[in-house]
Amino acid sequence: MSKFWSKAAKNLVPYVPGEQPKDKKYIKLNTNESPYPPSPRVIKAIKNATNSDLRLYPDPEFHELRETVAKYYGLTKEEVYAGNGSDELLAFAFQAFFDPGKKILFPDITYSFYPVYCRLYNLDYETVPLDDEFNVPVNEFLRENGGIIISNPKAPTAKYMGIDEIKTIIQYNKDNVVIIDEAYIDFGGESVVKLIKEYKNLLVIQTMSKSRCLAGLRLGLVMGSSELIDGIIRIKNSFNSYPVDRLALAGAVEAIRDEEYFKETVAKIINTREWVALRLKEMGFEVLDSRANFLFISHSKMNAEVIFNHLRENGILVRFFKKPRIDNYLRVSIGTDSDMEEFIKVLEMLIL
Amino acid sequence: MSKFWSKAAKNLVPYVPGEQPKDKKYIKLNTNESPYPPSPRVIKAIKNATNSDLRLYPDPEFHELRETVAKYYGLTKEEVYAGNGSDELLAFAFQAFFDPGKKILFPDITYSFYPVYCRLYNLDYETVPLDDEFNVPVNEFLRENGGIIISNPKAPTAKYMGIDEIKTIIQYNKDNVVIIDEAYIDFGGESVVKLIKEYKNLLVIQTMSKSRCLAGLRLGLVMGSSELIDGIIRIKNSFNSYPVDRLALAGAVEAIRDEEYFKETVAKIINTREWVALRLKEMGFEVLDSRANFLFISHSKMNAEVIFNHLRENGILVRFFKKPRIDNYLRVSIGTDSDMEEFIKVLEMLIL
């Protein structure tokens, strides 16, 4: 602690991202990146935008990208906004819609950045325990609160919640904002974007880091009623006029337009996920039903941390959360078929 | 106002960036961008980085960029950090080092984002009036305060403050953080980065948007004692793990390394600035001494808003601030020689 830090800075408990060791080459199954490169059209669009116009500020309102996303989802431009990764948009949303004093609700097992944002903006929260099978107890969200955030499919369990259950929560909480974090929605889930016209209190946040293979470009999307989007814009324009650079804008537009590549890579990842899940079950793993680009797994006879270390020693990184209820689970991102064959092979060394 | 907005969001007065009209092609002298493209080496580095690795998150700690900047300035890597434009770093710094209740001091005429950050983080501030020639009254900063921020050269006047004057302020305020915003330092000023080893309370913020010709890439730098940089890192890691994308990192490293191109473009801009200043004076303008890539000008016989509109109608955008004390001034970015010849020609239509 430094005497120069503000009380707010002293009070923080910063988020810790998945490790990115540089000591050797790993098969990286620890940060839910896509194993596939971005679309060739995206690469081309970025290279074309890498020109003398980089001397000029980007469009602070992201008009072209917003129009492209709006068209894709059947929304208006006023119902769409973008940010420097979905993390930035989550932070903006916490600040724009949640007030200190009233408790924000989210599941006890969730994306670990949510409590970090609460500390950052001095917000109160209460975690709602998932049931023993990690399902969201919908009724627990039908009560007085200061706002709700739920990821769907859920981080880090990969489990998916049906649109009707979410609708029940949105419907009950008409005076509060309900944020649905759909970082992983494209891997088999149904987006609640279609409910935006009906519910002014619904905010949907997505990312291009997973299904669009662009984690390195930093591009998040937020969708909701125009009054919610205006709230996001107020924060953004009080923070950074130009949070998304020219190259990210150019790449993101093309990523949305190249639907064929998007569908193809997502289908490959789902296909890989399914055979890996089967093999893991044959090896005695519990494998939670996944609609994401990762699996959440646990072995009845082998401690998760032991498996984690064994994998790491053999050049494979997965994510292990030393936290209550999930400290015997591993989160394993879906790689290419050959990545996953190696993963299974290394596991077999330990388990068979 | 929406019922869904937080009290914080309702209370904001967002910053308004310079206009970016699309109705026709303008000579853009309104947002202090460089008239020159980025270095060819930067373009090449970005294109090289536009590859399949974009599927992977960028380095969250910016190691290579920090090492490159540290070497350039004779600092350690622990004394350097980066952000998504200097605006993001300014926001982080306000949150990291300033507390509500104690008044932050900055000049009355300054970068208009500073009071916006105060609203965003619920901070109190007091503006210190510049003297009649827009000089900073150093003695007014030698008193109880909650922190200080001064841009040097100053936005929007372009005036420069000597390093000894700044040293007096830093020296007196040893228990508070003094932020020097050096967005325009490369156009003839001397950076206070050299004081960092001596003063643990000094934070210096710079940008690649001006002298490095990369406004479209979004890259800011912050330098200070490692305990101040650690404060910035705490905020960053509670907000967004990866605020700077892979392409910005690649381009920024090369921009620092290509010192020849940097010196050449900066010299051209200074040269243009000097002849334009002379011509404007001949036309009866007051032209404040500039060490920036813009001029702050006023005409005794012609209203600034009239000149602004005349320029705009003739395809030239400059910046006009309708604010007390400066509402008869225009801020004019330095373009290429040919941009500025056109600017002078259009002015002559009105004034001669």
Side-chain angles (χ1 to χ4, degrees):
Chain A
M1 295 281 164
S2 157
K3 69 171 177 180
F4 295 121
W5 296 359
S6 65
K7 286 189 195 81
K10 285 176 183 157
N11 188 43
L12 294 174
V13 184
Y15 177 79
V16 181
E19 59 180 336
Q20 313 240 16
K22 289 182 177 59
D23 56 332
K24 62 176 183 178
K25 189 86 181 158
Y26 288 90
I27 294 179
K28 261 188 108 263
L29 308 177
N30 69 329
T31 50
N32 297 344
E33 292 143 333
S34 174
Y36 300 107
S39 141
R41 283 172 54 181
V42 168
I43 296 289
K44 196 174 163 199
I46 295 173
K47 285 188 173 169
N48 283 344
T50 306
N51 58 39
S52 62
D53 281 351
L54 279 177
R55 72 180 180 86
L56 301 169
Y57 284 104
D59 174 5
E61 295 298 331
F62 330 129
H63 290 289
E64 190 186 6
L65 175 59
R66 290 165 69 195
E67 277 158 16
T68 307
V69 174
K71 196 176 155 200
Y72 180 79
Y73 275 121
L75 299 170
T76 67
K77 193 174 76 177
E78 289 66 35
E79 293 165 329
V80 177
Y81 214 68
N84 185 35
S86 61
D87 284 345
E88 179 174 89
L89 292 171
L90 286 166
F92 288 170
F94 273 65
Q95 201 175 10
F97 307 120
F98 299 157
D99 275 308
K102 292 179 87 177
K103 282 185 179 163
I104 298 149
L105 303 181
F106 49 81
D108 62 340
I109 297 165
T110 189
Y111 185 28
S112 37
F113 227 128
Y114 301 159
V116 175
Y117 294 130
C118 290
R119 294 287 274 262
L120 187 66
Y121 299 120
N122 201 24
L123 302 168
D124 303 296
Y125 66 91
E126 188 179 326
T127 56
V128 175
L130 299 180
D131 71 16
D132 289 345
E133 289 174 333
F134 300 121
N135 292 312
V136 172
V138 171
N139 286 336
E140 295 297 317
F141 288 90
L142 311 185
R143 57 175 161 126
E144 182 79 9
N145 63 71
I148 289 169
I149 179 160
I150 298 174
S151 69
N152 190 50
K154 286 199 289 297
T157 64
K159 289 195 80 166
Y160 173 70
M161 196 175 168
I163 202 163
D164 287 337
E165 286 184 286
I166 295 176
K167 204 166 164 174
T168 303
I169 294 172
I170 302 168
Q171 172 78 36
Y172 183 89
N173 290 282
K174 279 202 160 169
D175 290 328
N176 289 332
V177 175
V178 178
I179 303 174
I180 306 297
D181 178 352
E182 293 192 335
Y184 303 104
I185 196 66
D186 293 324
F187 300 101
E190 186 183 15
S191 174
V192 292
V193 161
K194 65 178 59 157
L195 302 181
I196 285 172
K197 299 282 185 193
E198 195 177 345
Y199 296 101
K200 295 219 173 310
N201 61 325
L202 167 63
L203 194 80
V204 184
I205 293 182
Q206 296 186 352
T207 175
M208 295 215 173
S209 297
K210 315 296 180 185
S211 57
R212 306 282 174 177
C213 319
L214 285 168
L217 198 64
R218 317 307 303 124
L219 208 299
L221 296 173
V222 58
M223 290 157 286
S225 60
S226 62
E227 62 180 298
L228 292 192
I229 297 302
D230 283 347
I232 295 286
I233 293 174
R234 282 179 82 78
I235 304 288
K236 174 262 186 186
N237 282 334
S238 296
F239 178 81
N240 188 351
S241 302
Y242 309 98
V244 185
D245 69 61
R246 284 179 168 269
L247 305 179
L249 288 173
V253 165
E254 205 55 32
I256 298 288
R257 287 187 184 147
D258 194 351
E259 210 175 335
E260 191 183 336
Y261 185 87
F262 164 71
K263 285 184 172 162
E264 184 187 307
T265 44
V266 164
K268 280 198 282 189
I269 290 164
I270 292 174
N271 184 62
T272 306
R273 179 183 74 200
E274 296 308 309
W275 75 249
V276 173
L278 269 181
R279 290 283 290 279
L280 288 168
K281 284 176 190 168
E282 286 164 13
M283 292 167 77
F285 277 94
E286 176 197 1
V287 182
L288 272 59
D289 277 343
S290 170
R291 300 263 186 118
N293 68 340
F294 59 90
L295 293 170
F296 204 56
I297 64 172
S298 181
H299 199 278
S300 54
K301 300 198 183 93
M302 187 75 73
N303 177 274
E305 194 164 10
V306 171
I307 303 174
F308 171 82
N309 287 326
H310 169 78
L311 288 166
R312 198 176 193 291
E313 281 155 24
N314 287 279
I316 297 174
L317 292 177
V318 299
R319 192 93 197 249
F320 169 61
F321 298 93
K322 217 169 192 158
K323 288 183 178 175
R325 298 189 66 185
I326 57 171
D327 60 359
N328 203 32
Y329 284 84
L330 296 174
R331 194 193 68 185
V332 182
S333 309
I334 300 301
T336 60
D337 281 338
S338 103
D339 290 341
M340 301 318 283
E341 271 156 20
E342 176 70 14
F343 165 72
I344 295 285
K345 199 178 88 187
V346 170
L347 271 185
E348 283 172 347
M349 286 161 55
L350 186 73
I351 285 170
L352 290 193
Chain B
M1 295 282 164
S2 157
K3 68 171 177 178
F4 295 121
W5 296 359
S6 65
K7 287 190 193 81
K10 285 177 182 156
N11 187 43
L12 293 174
V13 184
Y15 178 79
V16 181
E19 59 180 336
Q20 313 240 17
K22 290 183 175 60
D23 56 330
K24 62 177 183 177
K25 189 87 183 157
Y26 288 90
I27 294 179
K28 263 189 106 262
L29 308 177
N30 69 329
T31 49
N32 296 344
E33 291 143 335
S34 175
Y36 300 107
S39 142
R41 282 172 54 180
V42 168
I43 297 288
K44 195 175 163 198
I46 294 173
K47 285 187 174 170
N48 283 343
T50 306
N51 58 39
S52 61
D53 282 351
L54 279 177
R55 73 181 179 86
L56 301 169
Y57 284 104
D59 174 5
E61 294 297 330
F62 330 130
H63 290 289
E64 189 184 9
L65 175 60
R66 290 164 71 195
E67 277 158 16
T68 307
V69 174
K71 194 176 157 201
Y72 180 79
Y73 274 122
L75 298 171
T76 67
K77 192 175 75 176
E78 290 66 35
E79 292 164 333
V80 177
Y81 215 67
N84 185 34
S86 61
D87 284 344
E88 177 174 90
L89 292 171
L90 286 166
F92 287 169
F94 273 65
Q95 202 175 9
F97 307 120
F98 299 157
D99 276 306
K102 292 180 85 177
K103 281 184 179 164
I104 297 149
L105 302 181
F106 49 82
D108 62 339
I109 298 163
T110 190
Y111 184 29
S112 37
F113 228 129
Y114 302 159
V116 175
Y117 293 130
C118 290
R119 293 288 274 263
L120 186 66
Y121 300 119
N122 201 25
L123 302 168
D124 304 296
Y125 66 91
E126 187 178 327
T127 57
V128 175
L130 298 180
D131 71 17
D132 289 345
E133 291 174 330
F134 300 121
N135 293 312
V136 172
V138 171
N139 287 335
E140 294 298 317
F141 288 90
L142 311 184
R143 57 174 159 123
E144 182 79 10
N145 64 70
I148 289 170
I149 179 158
I150 297 175
S151 69
N152 189 50
K154 284 200 290 295
T157 65
K159 290 196 78 166
Y160 173 70
M161 196 176 170
I163 202 163
D164 287 339
E165 287 184 286
I166 296 177
K167 203 166 164 173
T168 304
I169 294 172
I170 302 168
Q171 173 78 38
Y172 183 89
N173 291 281
K174 280 203 159 169
D175 291 327
N176 290 332
V177 175
V178 178
I179 304 174
I180 305 298
D181 178 353
E182 293 192 336
Y184 303 103
I185 196 66
D186 292 324
F187 301 100
E190 185 183 16
S191 173
V192 291
V193 161
K194 64 178 60 160
L195 302 181
I196 284 172
K197 300 281 186 193
E198 197 177 342
Y199 296 101
K200 297 222 174 304
N201 60 325
L202 167 63
L203 194 80
V204 184
I205 292 180
Q206 297 186 351
T207 174
M208 295 215 171
S209 297
K210 316 296 180 183
S211 58
R212 306 279 173 179
C213 318
L214 285 168
L217 199 63
R218 318 308 303 124
L219 208 297
L221 295 173
V222 58
M223 290 158 286
S225 60
S226 62
E227 63 181 297
L228 293 191
I229 296 303
D230 283 346
I232 295 287
I233 293 174
R234 283 179 81 78
I235 303 288
K236 174 261 186 187
N237 281 334
S238 298
F239 178 80
N240 188 350
S241 303
Y242 309 97
V244 184
D245 69 61
R246 284 179 169 267
L247 306 178
L249 288 172
V253 165
E254 205 56 31
I256 298 289
R257 287 187 183 148
D258 193 351
E259 210 173 336
E260 192 182 336
Y261 185 86
F262 165 71
K263 284 185 172 162
E264 185 186 306
T265 45
V266 163
K268 281 199 282 190
I269 289 164
I270 292 174
N271 185 61
T272 306
R273 177 183 75 200
E274 295 308 310
W275 76 250
V276 173
L278 270 180
R279 290 281 291 278
L280 288 168
K281 284 176 189 168
E282 286 164 13
M283 291 168 78
F285 278 94
E286 177 198 0
V287 181
L288 272 59
D289 278 343
S290 170
R291 299 261 187 121
N293 68 340
F294 60 91
L295 294 170
F296 203 55
I297 65 173
S298 180
H299 200 277
S300 55
K301 298 197 182 92
M302 188 73 75
N303 178 274
E305 194 163 9
V306 172
I307 304 174
F308 170 82
N309 287 327
H310 169 77
L311 287 167
R312 199 176 192 291
E313 280 154 23
N314 286 279
I316 297 174
L317 292 177
V318 300
R319 191 93 199 247
F320 170 61
F321 299 92
K322 218 169 193 162
K323 288 183 180 176
R325 298 190 66 186
I326 58 170
D327 59 359
N328 203 33
Y329 284 84
L330 295 174
R331 194 193 67 184
V332 182
S333 310
I334 301 300
T336 62
D337 282 337
S338 103
D339 291 341
M340 301 318 283
E341 271 155 19
E342 176 70 14
F343 165 73
I344 295 284
K345 201 179 87 187
V346 171
L347 270 186
E348 283 173 346
M349 287 161 55
L350 185 74
I351 285 170
L352 289 194

